Amino acid sequence: MKTILKLITICFLFPNFINGQHLEVGGTGGFSTYLGDLSPSIKRTSTGGLNLAVGGFLRYNYNKSFAVKLGLTYGQVSANDNESKDLGRQSRNLHFKSSIFETSLTGEFNILGFEPRFLSKTFSPYIFGGIGFFAFNPKAQYQGQWVELQPLRTEGQGLADFPERKPYKKIALSIPFGGGFKYAINDKLAVGMEMGLRMTNTDYLDDVSTTYVADDILNENFGEISAALANPSGVPRTTGSKRGTATNNDWYFISSITVSYNFIDSGLSGPRRKNRRALGCPTF
């Protein structure tokens, strides 16, 4: 009798020890956009155009409440002053696009708890936060060709007259955070939706940050393409006149649908059916 009682106790308690600990692999698809100096409006809530974004991730679930995720994402961000309703931005006439390659490590908190094993908790909203790095490369169109902007030093980066303006790096830090929800279709497959914000430590995602450098200075030091793309307005700009806003770094956002596969063996023989045969427990 004691042996039977011990076996029953183990069968009911052991799942609680392993509850939620499993690896998950998945993919994402959705949209990316950006917030910065080329947003359509001067309002900080105004974002650039929508672009496709895709990615993949590995998620390790420690328990029903907490998980850690390693993600890889590719997307694009873009904006064009011609699409703005603000007359000042229309006159500035700048535009850009940039690919983004991001790797991130985030922690997740499942608000209601999420446990696909035995389908005990199949739905939960969640919040997440972490750290990431991303590569970017802003480009603009010149005579029908997309040209990389960073080598053109469009704001005089590297010139002796502007010692505080260093050429910006094309790899930057991001702080991803946001929320979403996940739903277990069965013990193996889960789907979800996620909205993520990325605060960055660069103001040059769009190649725009501070003030103009006179066309003749750029033309002399970096060539006519630099001068043409730094100031495509057709109106001569004096050195020091406003081009961007250096007090605010750029942001980007990724909204996506997620599909994932859970590497667990819950002993389920079909959707929404529960048993403990996988643990070797007796059935009655």
Side-chain angles (χ1 to χ4, degrees), residues 18-25 59 61 114-123 182-191 259-279:
I18 65 171
N19 217 15
Q21 295 185 9
H22 66 274
L23 185 65
E24 193 178 346
V25 61
R59 179 189 283 135
N61 298 272
F114 186 71
E115 177 52 88
R117 194 188 309 267
F118 306 121
L119 297 175
S120 58
K121 289 184 177 293
T122 60
F123 172 83
K182 55 185 76 170
Y183 173 75
I185 297 174
N186 53 45
D187 63 324
K188 298 296 186 184
L189 294 176
V191 296
V259 180
S260 60
Y261 179 87
N262 298 303
F263 289 94
I264 56 176
D265 182 8
S266 65
L268 292 175
S269 59
R272 313 279 174 223
R273 294 186 60 185
K274 306 177 181 180
N275 67 55
R276 288 179 166 79
R277 291 183 180 179
L279 297 175

Side-chain angles (χ1 to χ4, degrees), residues 202-258:
T202 182
D203 194 29
Y204 281 105
L205 183 53
D206 48 21
D207 192 64
V208 179
S209 177
T210 58
T211 59
Y212 284 100
V213 173
D215 297 351
D216 58 339
I217 296 176
L218 293 179
N219 190 41
E220 178 182 350
N221 288 274
F222 304 121
E224 69 174 66
I225 299 178
S226 174
L229 293 179
N231 177 26
S233 68
V235 179
R237 306 286 183 170
T238 58
T239 297
S241 58
K242 182 178 174 64
R243 187 170 187 257
T245 304
T247 55
N248 298 313
N249 286 340
D250 298 328
W251 292 58
Y252 64 96
F253 311 91
I254 297 176
S255 300
S256 58
I257 296 173
T258 66

Side-chain angles (χ1 to χ4, degrees), residues 7 13 25 38 64 87-89 91 95 121 155 159-160 173 180-181 184-185 215 218 234 243 248 258 268 275 279:
L7 181 60
L13 292 182
V25 61
L38 266 69
K64 66 181 181 180
L87 296 180
R89 301 208 168 192
S91 175
H95 70 281
K121 289 184 177 293
E155 292 187 351
L159 291 178
L173 174 72
F181 69 85
I185 297 174
D215 297 351
L218 293 179
R243 187 170 187 257
N248 298 313
T258 66
L268 292 175
N275 67 55
L279 297 175

